[in-house]
Amino acid sequence: MANPLNFNVEVSSENQFITEFKNGTSLYLKREDLLHPEVSGNKFRKLKYNIFEADKQGKDTLLTFGGAYSNHIAATAAAGKLAGLKTIGVIRGEELGENLGKTLKQNATLNFAHSCGMQFYFVSRGDYRKKADLEFRQHLSEKFGNFYLVPEGGTNAFAIKGCEEILSAKDKEFNYIAASVGTGGTLSGLIRASSENQKILGFPALKGDFLSEEIKKNGVKNNWELILNYHFGGYARIDSQLINFINKFREKYQIQLDPVYTGKLVFGIFDLVKTGYFPSGSKILAIHTGGLQGIMGMNSFLKKKNLPLINY
């Protein structure tokens, strides 16, 4: 796997068998995390057609938004470097820019993005909430010039098109396709690419059902459901139960899960099997969307809280 990044080449990932449960239900994991060591999983898929579009428009700079530990920020910086594009990251938290040297020492995500050549623009949380406002966008244009804007999390029509390519013809054998949900772009792409007889399950990392309308608009089909019970309190929230599950899964299957997205997804699937959600003999394909770069930052947080660490 671990192919050189070339957006002009069709890439596919392997489906790895995980286990067969007592009721005959089997679980496979699509190893999108192995597509590329720096631009893996759904980030590769979301950025592909956005980079094509930037090139089509004659833009040499990508500008996007994210938090201090954002997978999207790290992936955009890496993809920009590999594609020969400049990158700008509008980062939530102006205090992070007050001593950039210290921030880079303490934050592996931003340090990596910086090493890829990304320019940072640190803004207050209040200003960050204005990222979709025309006035704020105009301010960014005046400050940075003629850039190609990639939205927070990478989700737009080009990203959804890229995420449709996660599934291949061989995946039609699965009854259920399951994926974690952040902004809804990956799930929308999976819904579009799915067969009518498949059920697409989304496991939101965020608390609440606010993504349903967006997915309805972009997903086209009605063969999907959001499973709302496995967010563990919300985005980037985890507890000892989830940490222990991730560590035991890694020990048993030699596969690393991330704590924000795929860990919650796989935990949820195992729990749903126990509660009888899946009919006997079901075949489930879970999508590993990457995000492993964030584990180091999460462990720093867990250490401060005196919680167990994620083995990595």
Side-chain angles (χ1 to χ4, degrees):
M1 304 288 281
N3 301 317
L5 182 64
N6 186 345
F7 287 116
N8 291 298
V9 175
E10 288 294 324
V11 297
S12 59
S13 50
E14 297 175 359
N15 296 337
Q16 183 172 341
F17 173 73
I18 301 300
T19 189
E20 182 172 314
F21 299 96
K22 289 181 180 179
N23 71 343
T25 292
S26 56
L27 173 63
Y28 290 74
L29 196 62
K30 182 172 278 292
R31 299 300 305 276
E32 290 278 292
D33 58 310
L34 299 179
L35 286 180
H36 188 272
E38 296 172 345
V39 193
S40 69
N42 61 343
K43 300 308 176 190
F44 175 93
R45 305 296 186 179
K46 287 182 173 184
L47 287 166
K48 174 180 177 178
Y49 288 106
N50 275 291
I51 285 177
F52 285 171
E53 182 63 18
D55 181 65
K56 181 180 176 181
Q57 294 182 17
K59 306 286 180 68
D60 67 356
T61 303
L62 304 177
L63 181 144
T64 195
F65 308 86
Y69 297 98
S70 167
N71 295 324
H72 173 65
I73 287 292
T76 301
K81 180 181 178 182
L82 292 164
L85 297 170
K86 293 179 282 188
T87 55
I88 299 166
V90 180
I91 309 298
R92 182 178 61 246
E94 61 185 343
E95 72 280 357
L96 297 169
E98 292 172 0
N99 187 338
L100 184 58
K102 181 180 179 182
T103 294
L104 295 179
K105 283 182 181 179
Q106 296 178 343
N107 187 305
T109 300
L110 294 182
N111 187 53
F112 171 75
H114 185 262
S115 74
C116 292
M118 177 173 272
Q119 178 183 353
F120 297 131
Y121 179 42
F122 296 96
V123 299
S124 68
R125 283 156 179 78
D127 283 344
Y128 190 85
R129 285 192 288 271
K130 300 174 186 175
K131 59 186 176 292
D133 294 353
L134 289 177
E135 186 177 345
F136 187 64
R137 295 281 177 89
Q138 181 62 33
H139 164 69
L140 293 174
S141 295
E142 291 170 359
K143 186 173 181 64
F144 296 110
N146 191 23
F147 54 78
Y148 179 85
L149 190 145
V150 181
E152 181 183 36
T155 290
N156 57 15
F158 297 110
I160 293 169
K161 180 180 179 181
C163 288
E164 290 183 48
E165 297 178 357
I166 293 173
L167 296 181
S168 63
K170 66 182 179 181
D171 299 327
K172 295 185 184 298
E173 65 177 296
F174 293 97
N175 310 111
Y176 294 88
I177 309 293
S180 51
V181 179
T183 55
T186 301
L187 199 74
S188 295
L190 293 171
I191 294 166
R192 284 174 173 262
S194 67
S195 301
E196 294 289 351
N197 62 339
Q198 292 179 311
K199 184 76 174 283
I200 311 301
L201 302 178
F203 291 71
L206 294 158
K207 200 172 182 178
D209 192 24
F210 59 93
L211 286 167
S212 290
E213 289 305 313
E214 191 69 15
I215 295 169
K216 283 178 186 176
K217 183 175 70 176
N218 295 320
V220 181
K221 301 169 187 171
N222 296 316
N223 61 337
W224 59 276
E225 178 184 355
L226 290 184
I227 307 295
L228 303 175
N229 302 326
Y230 300 100
H231 51 72
F232 284 82
Y235 181 74
R237 300 282 183 88
I238 61 174
D239 60 18
S240 297
Q241 183 184 27
L242 181 60
I243 297 166
N244 290 334
F245 176 84
I246 290 170
N247 287 340
K248 287 178 181 177
F249 189 89
R250 181 176 186 269
E251 182 180 346
K252 185 171 183 179
Y253 302 109
Q254 290 76 57
I255 298 173
Q256 184 72 61
L257 303 176
D258 86 285
V260 177
Y261 295 108
T262 311
K264 295 176 181 180
L265 164 70
V266 178
F267 179 96
I269 291 170
F270 271 70
D271 195 56
L272 288 178
V273 170
K274 287 180 191 174
T275 58
Y277 177 92
F278 298 103
S280 298
S282 296
K283 293 191 72 173
I284 308 165
L285 179 64
I287 313 299
H288 194 317
T289 48
L292 302 180
Q293 68 83 30
I295 292 176
M296 192 178 298
M298 179 61 76
N299 274 344
S300 296
F301 171 79
L302 294 173
K303 192 173 183 179
K304 292 176 184 176
K305 297 289 185 180
N306 292 317
L307 288 168
L309 301 184
I310 298 163
N311 297 333
Y312 183 52

